[in-house]
Every structure is written in structure tokens, then in C-alpha cells.
Amino acid sequence: MLRKVVAVSLVLVLSVGVVFADEIRAVITKVEGNKVTFAEMKGKGQRGEEQTLPVAKQVKVVKGKFNKETKSVEAGEELPKGLKHKMFQNIPAKGIRALIVTEDKKITEIRIMMGGKKKQ
């Protein structure tokens, strides 16, 4: 009986760890130091409340590639200079679309969704 309780507890703890990792489709509105302010995209043209999260020490900033088969945004090539890239210095009023990967309330990866013909 004790063995079953321990096994169930272990599975529960591992499941909670997986739940804390999250992917958020968002619009980045501001980058200051190691903090990124963004609004979650709720639908076409609709944004949620703005929130600010710190970035992890080893944050990856990459170009995102949309995979039509899996309908997901996959990591592409890494942006030079990461969050210090010129793209984040003068963010337009409409923001920068991205997929933000978080873990333990820290941003671990930012996948920038580049526009079709527009250059950012």
C-alpha cells in the first residue's frame, strides 16, 4: 500500500513540473534589461492583459518557423545579440508577435514570428 502511495506521489510531482512549462502566443510591447512586457493574443486582433516576466540567464531568442503539418511554431535560426538585437530597441506600437516559452515564471525562449513580406 505504501509503495502505491509513493508511486502516485512521484507521478503527481512530475506532472506538476510539466504543467509549469508553458507556450504563450503573445505580442511583445517592451523589453527593459532582463524583463519582457507582453500581452497574450486571445484571437484575431484581441489581446489579453499585459504582463511582465523576467528572462532566464540562458534565454534563447530565435526566428520562429510555422510548421503547416503540425500547426505549431518551431525554433529557427538564433537572432544575433538576443534581446539586445535592434528589433527590440524600437518596438513599433503594434508590438512584435512571438511565441514565448516559460518555465517557473521565467522566459526561457522567445520565437519571433516574422511577417510574410514585411521586414522587422
Side-chain angles (χ1 to χ4, degrees):
M1 179 70 178
L2 182 62
R3 229 184 263 176
K4 288 181 181 179
V5 171
V6 171
V8 169
S9 299
L10 182 63
V11 169
L12 181 63
V13 168
L14 292 175
S15 298
V16 170
V18 171
V19 170
F20 286 127
D22 200 13
E23 291 186 353
I24 305 167
R25 287 183 185 257
V27 176
I28 298 173
T29 56
K30 184 167 60 171
V31 175
E32 282 185 337
N34 69 339
K35 295 189 183 256
V36 176
T37 302
F38 62 92
E40 186 174 353
M41 292 173 44
K42 298 289 185 179
K44 285 196 172 193
Q46 296 179 338
R47 295 184 185 180
E49 286 188 37
E50 281 197 350
Q51 52 184 314
T52 303
L53 289 177
V55 296
K57 289 182 182 179
Q58 300 297 325
V59 66
K60 288 175 53 178
V61 182
V62 298
K63 292 180 182 177
K65 292 183 178 181
F66 185 74
N67 185 331
K68 291 180 182 179
E69 292 174 10
T70 61
K71 294 187 171 52
S72 64
V73 179
E74 298 173 349
E77 66 183 71
E78 199 162 334
L79 276 179
K81 300 182 184 177
L83 286 177
K84 298 196 185 305
H85 189 273
K86 66 181 180 179
M87 173 188 301
F88 298 110
Q89 303 306 315
N90 296 317
I91 298 175
K94 64 181 180 177
I96 299 171
R97 292 179 48 215
L99 182 97
I100 297 175
V101 180
T102 63
E103 190 171 315
D104 295 330
K105 300 209 179 210
K106 285 190 177 183
I107 298 173
T108 57
E109 186 174 342
I110 299 173
R111 299 176 191 163
I112 303 299
M113 292 188 245
M114 304 301 249
K117 294 182 182 177
K118 293 182 182 178
K119 215 178 186 184
Q120 297 210 11

